[in-house]
Amino acid sequence: MEAMEMQCVKEVVGKIRSLRNTYNNELLKVKKSNTTGMATNDLYISKIPWLCRLDFLKNIDSYTRENTENMAVDALEKVSTQHFSNDEFDLFGQTIAQQLRQLPLEIALKTEEMILSTVRKQRIKLAKQQTSTQ
């Protein structure tokens, strides 16, 4: 929503539907021009430059698309109702993520595990302290 400067989940879902409909309409035009027996130079070729980026939609049947869309709407609605604070911890996480992306995958995964291990150890230490004081 933020990247596309949209205000709500319904706008995102509407945009997804619009893109999918445009894609399917363009495919239908190509198919019709191929089946009418037109000469090669009369075949329909889409002028939409980004159309090929949606080719993954060819392999999605309507049942899968409807269920996936419903799940996506639910997930987007849940995320959109959450409020993110962008405090120092969020910024720290984003900084670490950027740095991990610059490392080779194996090293990034090992580094991620070290960071998580350190945080886990501190949480366990705090939990033990709280248990002993009670």
Side-chain angles (χ1 to χ4, degrees):
M1 286 178 8
E2 290 175 17
M4 297 173 70
E5 297 179 0
M6 295 183 171
Q7 302 300 316
C8 65
V9 173
K10 286 184 180 181
E11 285 184 74
V12 175
V13 172
K15 180 55 105 174
I16 291 169
R17 282 188 181 135
S18 174
L19 290 169
R20 189 180 63 231
N21 288 339
T22 299
Y23 178 79
N24 288 332
N25 289 337
E26 290 295 299
L27 283 186
L28 188 59
K29 291 176 187 177
V30 170
K31 186 176 179 180
K32 282 182 180 179
S33 77
N34 286 337
T35 58
T36 57
M38 296 180 152
T40 306
N41 57 352
D42 292 335
L43 293 178
Y44 179 80
I45 298 173
S46 178
K47 293 181 175 82
I48 301 174
W50 47 261
L51 196 67
C52 62
R53 292 185 179 186
L54 298 179
D55 280 343
F56 67 92
L57 292 173
K58 284 181 185 177
N59 300 323
I60 301 175
D61 62 17
S62 61
Y63 175 78
T64 303
R65 185 175 62 234
E66 287 172 18
N67 287 331
T68 303
E69 184 177 298
N70 290 338
M71 288 176 11
V73 169
D74 291 344
L76 285 171
E77 285 175 346
K78 286 178 187 173
V79 169
S80 69
T81 58
Q82 295 174 351
H83 298 284
F84 298 102
S85 60
N86 278 335
D87 62 10
E88 63 188 279
F89 301 116
D90 292 319
L91 296 174
F92 173 76
Q94 292 171 9
T95 302
I96 293 298
Q98 287 175 338
Q99 292 179 24
L100 288 173
R101 286 185 196 103
Q102 295 174 8
L103 297 173
L105 180 59
E106 187 174 340
I107 294 172
L109 292 172
K110 288 178 181 178
T111 305
E112 178 187 25
E113 182 54 39
M114 290 186 325
I115 293 168
L116 291 172
S117 175
T118 301
V119 172
R120 249 185 258 113
K121 286 177 185 174
Q122 291 301 318
R123 291 183 69 197
I124 291 169
K125 181 179 173 182
L126 180 61
K128 287 180 181 178
Q129 288 174 352
Q130 289 174 345
T131 304
S132 66
T133 58
Q134 292 174 352

